[in-house]
Structure formats: structure tokens, C-alpha cells
Amino acid sequence: MTSATPEGTPDDTIFALASGRGRAGVAVLRLSGAGAGAAITTLTRKPLPEPRRAAFRALYDPQNEEQLDQAIVLWFPAPASFTGEDVAELHVHGGRAVLDALSAALSQAPPGGCGCRPAEPGEFSLRAFRAGKMDLTEAEGLNDLIEAETEAQRRQALDQLGGALSGTYEAWRRDLVQIMARAEAMIDFSDEDVPGDLIGDCRSGIESLRQEIAGHLSDNHRGERVRAGYSVVILGAPNAGKSSLLNALAREDVAITAESPGTTRDVIEVRLDLGGFAVDLADTAGLRKASEASGAVEREGVRRAEARAASADLKLLVLDAEGEAVLGEDLTRHCGENSLLVVVKTDLVDAHKITAWEDLGKATSSVVYPLSSKTGAGVEALLKGLEEIVIDQLGRRETASLTRLRHRVALEECDAALARAGSYGGGDVELLAEDLRLAADILGRITGTVDVENILDVVFGEFCIGK
């Protein structure tokens, strides 16, 4: 979506395929706008069906009167519809020829067509937002629900669609309005005796609100990580067995493996579902000094590996069981609380050698997972360990977590405005009131209760066409 106002006008009647693309038993075409009812009567040659009651209708080409398909027709008159406008749905057979013929009939201008236009990405939801059917956080929750791949993503998106975030932010905004009322009272009645310590009440309310916002922000980016995926990166020396480990954890041949070192030059990713959470597992080029890399391509691969490691939630440091039980320089700097030692190729060594690696883990305060990618021994233990870590860090909270960077940035700006407001003395009531108004407006921008035209294209541009 290139702008908050799509091509055409908001008065246009729009249509789009609301179901998945490709051949299917049933496809759903959705229409919205003042002309939706006329389009349906043109296609069916019959009066509109009873609202919210399915009706079986034949569909005809308005130009040559040839039957196009048979459909289930649903009619949702305004304002009791998803968009707040007149909405219709055509449940038709999902063949490409049927959809192409219906799209052509809907797109053509009357009298030879229905006078509708194809919808832009997110335009149905944008119209719902403008009609007050949902706020911005709920619209984002709807898009996340459509995109959800795991149980945790589904739960989080459904909570947000149900108003979990907007309820929190609107409650804070109402609290701010109460504080603002006290500040305005001090301004309006500055020459009179105002009962109570209003400036003290303002400061107390501001501090209480700042504590709630701070608690909301200090969630270790939980909501964003649930939505985007928990990042795990595999690091190790060239030919240490990183790609084989990736294939073993993914249970498929995602990466090419070979005896020669340097096979992996770029970052190779696979998504896992661990405990209902999305986990992005990335294989990287073998780490070694730039002077030892065999050419510009390998140097770039090492650079990308280091960059991915810097942003990862967890690092798997891969060590060859046949080697000496020490951490090399390249891995030592990555060893820490957010790393695990994974000793691979254990099928090639005896138990004494594995014990040496376990002793290294104790010496470095690291958890060690010995395994064989070839035989599968130890793979399930590592997957279980990863699942426990992810659940521990991202497990469901009692309160809703913010899910987007724009929420976080806005709340940080709101807190800064509140911090300024709380620092003013009794002689600066006008400045205090102005920063309180600014903080309230910032909260309103998150949910869309104040002017947000400049961010609508960003929010709804992420949507698929037909939603």
C-alpha cells in the first residue's frame, strides 16, 4: 500500500479475494462499499438476500447474460459489517477461470459491469478502522492473527485483536486526562484558593503512571520476539559440523554438507516450532580471522555470521568432539549467558573424550550438549533444552506485551514527556500541562484515537489483499 488513501476514493466499492489463492474447492470474494448491493443484484438478477442469511444464487455475466458460476451469497448491510459499509460475500468455486470471470464482471463499469475496483492491501481493515470498528493495535492484532504460524503467536494476536493492548493504553490515557484536569484547575483558578495539594497530586499520578509504563517496557522484548520469532544462531569453526547440526535439528536436509571446509558462505535459516513458539535457527559461515579466509566471499560470510551473532537471542557454539577440549579465540568472545556449547561428532570418540568437553563446560559455566548429527544421539536432548529456554524467556505473561517497535518508541516518548512534567515546580504549571497533553497525544497515536494519517500506510501496508 503506497499511501493511506488508495487510488480512487473512499466512496469506491472495492472487491478482493478474501480466501487463499490457488485452486480450491471454495473461494470467497468480498465486496465493500455503497455499490456492493447493486453489484450483487446485477450478478444474481435477484433481490438481495436477507441480511446475514446464506442464499444460493446463480451468477451471470452482465454483458452476455452467460452463467458464470453458482454461489452462496451473504449480505451484511451497513453499519453492522466488518468495514461499517455495505458488505457482500460470494462463496464460489475456487477455479482460476471462475475467479477471473467474476473479477472482470465486477471491475467493468455499468451497464456492462458492476463498477467496482480491486482493493488495495489492507483496505478492508483500513475502512474498518476509519469506521471505528477497531483501533490501530486491534488492526495490527488482526494482521498478526492471519500471519500466525505457532500457538504462541495465535494467542498473542488474538489477545491484541480483542483489545488487550488498547485497553491498557486507553486506561493510561484516561489517567492522564484526570491528571491534566488537576493541572488545568491550577491554571484556571490561580488567583483563588484551590483545595488540596494539586501539584502534589499531579506528581504522584505522574510517578505512578511512569512506573506502569516502565513495567510494560521492561518485558525483554517478549511480544516482539513472539511475533517475529526467537533467534538462534549456530556458530563454529569451518567444518566443525554446523550445517549437519542444522539439518539434524530441522529434521531435513536444509544445508549442503561436505568434508571440505567453507561449504557455507551465507546465512541459511529454518523456522522451528518449539513449545508453540516460533524459533528462527540460522547456520552461518565458519568463524576464522579475515586473513585466513579464502577470498572476499568467505570474508563476507564471516562478517554476516558475526552480525547475526550480535543480534541473536541465543548462540549454539559448535565444537568438534575429535578436537582438543578448548574454546578457540573466535568462540570465546561469544561464550556467555546466552550461549550453549554443542559438542558434535560424538559417535567418533570414546566416553573419555566427551568427559573432557563436559569438564570444559563446568570451567566456563556453560551448559554442554554432546550429540551426533549422524546417529541422532543427543539431538532430542538439545531440542528439549532449547524449548525450555524459549518457554522460560517467552512464556505467557498475565498482562499483554507490546508487539511492535512503533509501540515501544511511542511509549518511550510518552515517558520522556511525563518525566519533564514531573520535574516542574508550582510556578511552571503551564509547562506541566503542555507536557501532559503531549504524553496523552502520544498514547492516542498508538491506538489511533488522535491524528495518525502519517502512519496508516505503514500499518495497513503490511496486510494481504482482501483483508
Side-chain angles (χ1 to χ4, degrees), residues 129 134-140 160 165-170 172-173 213 216-217 402-415 438-452 455-456 459-460:
F129 165 73
M134 63 176 72
D135 67 25
L136 282 186
T137 61
E138 290 166 348
E140 289 167 329
Q160 187 167 331
L165 276 181
S166 57
T168 297
Y169 300 150
E170 283 304 305
W172 290 345
R173 195 163 184 264
I213 292 174
H216 191 61
L217 287 170
L402 55 88
T403 58
R404 279 170 169 77
L405 178 61
R406 83 170 185 92
H407 304 167
R408 187 173 297 278
V409 170
L411 288 174
E412 289 171 349
E413 292 176 355
C414 177
D415 181 66
L438 176 60
D441 285 347
I442 292 171
L443 284 177
R445 289 205 302 269
I446 300 178
T447 58
T449 54
V450 299
D451 180 43
V452 289
I455 66 169
L456 291 186
V459 172
F460 291 99

Side-chain angles (χ1 to χ4, degrees), residues 224-280:
E224 294 148 285
R225 292 156 83 192
V226 168
R227 175 175 173 264
Y230 186 88
S231 175
V232 178
V233 63
I234 300 174
L235 300 173
N239 214 31
K242 301 183 300 300
S243 296
S244 296
L245 176 62
L246 177 74
N247 292 341
L249 294 175
R251 296 187 176 91
E252 59 178 310
D253 290 335
V254 180
I256 297 173
T257 60
E259 294 295 331
S260 56
T263 303
T264 302
R265 299 298 184 91
D266 203 350
V267 177
I268 300 173
E269 292 186 87
V270 63
R271 175 157 284 202
L272 307 179
D273 184 339
L274 296 181
F277 293 90
V279 175
D280 290 322

Side-chain angles (χ1 to χ4, degrees), residues 169-235:
Y169 300 150
E170 283 304 305
W172 290 345
R173 195 163 184 264
R174 288 194 297 270
D175 290 344
L176 262 177
V177 170
Q178 293 296 320
I179 300 171
M180 289 165 58
R182 296 185 179 93
E184 294 293 342
M186 286 187 286
I187 295 172
D188 293 341
F189 303 101
S190 57
D191 297 332
E192 303 178 24
D193 290 333
V194 180
D197 180 13
L198 290 184
I199 189 69
D201 290 345
C202 285
R203 286 176 175 167
S204 176
I206 290 169
E207 182 58 31
S208 176
L209 186 54
R210 288 193 67 201
Q211 289 178 3
E212 290 188 44
I213 292 174
H216 191 61
L217 287 170
S218 62
D219 66 344
N220 200 24
H221 297 263
R222 176 198 175 275
E224 294 148 285
R225 292 156 83 192
V226 168
R227 175 175 173 264
Y230 186 88
S231 175
V232 178
V233 63
I234 300 174
L235 300 173

